[in-house]
Amino acid sequence: MIKTLVAAGILGAAVATAGVGVASAHPVVVHSDYIGNYATQEACAADGASPKTGGSQYTCTQAQDGTWDLVTA
């Protein structure tokens, strides 16, 4: 009787732990409108103004290394 209770307790703890592991396994999806990195602001603006990347809804921001990042809105 005691062995059965101990076995049931261990099995219950294992099932509860496995359930927690499965519940936290979902990946986080992050949506980004980052298009690319450019050497000059002019190149960034040219691609940003293109209808293929954003038309008039874009921003070129300078990165720490001096390059330019294109982000669409």
Side-chain angles (χ1 to χ4, degrees):
M1 175 80 174
I2 293 176
K3 288 181 182 180
T4 305
L5 292 175
V6 171
I10 292 172
L11 181 61
V15 169
T17 303
V20 170
V22 172
S24 65
H26 297 287
V28 176
V29 177
V30 177
H31 178 69
S32 174
D33 295 320
Y34 174 80
I35 301 297
N37 184 272
Y38 299 85
T40 65
Q41 183 181 18
E42 292 78 17
C44 179
D47 271 4
S50 170
K52 290 182 180 180
T53 55
S56 62
Q57 303 295 318
Y58 72 92
T59 304
C60 290
T61 55
Q62 193 166 23
Q64 289 182 351
D65 64 358
T67 59
W68 293 85
D69 292 332
L70 174 59
V71 180
T72 60

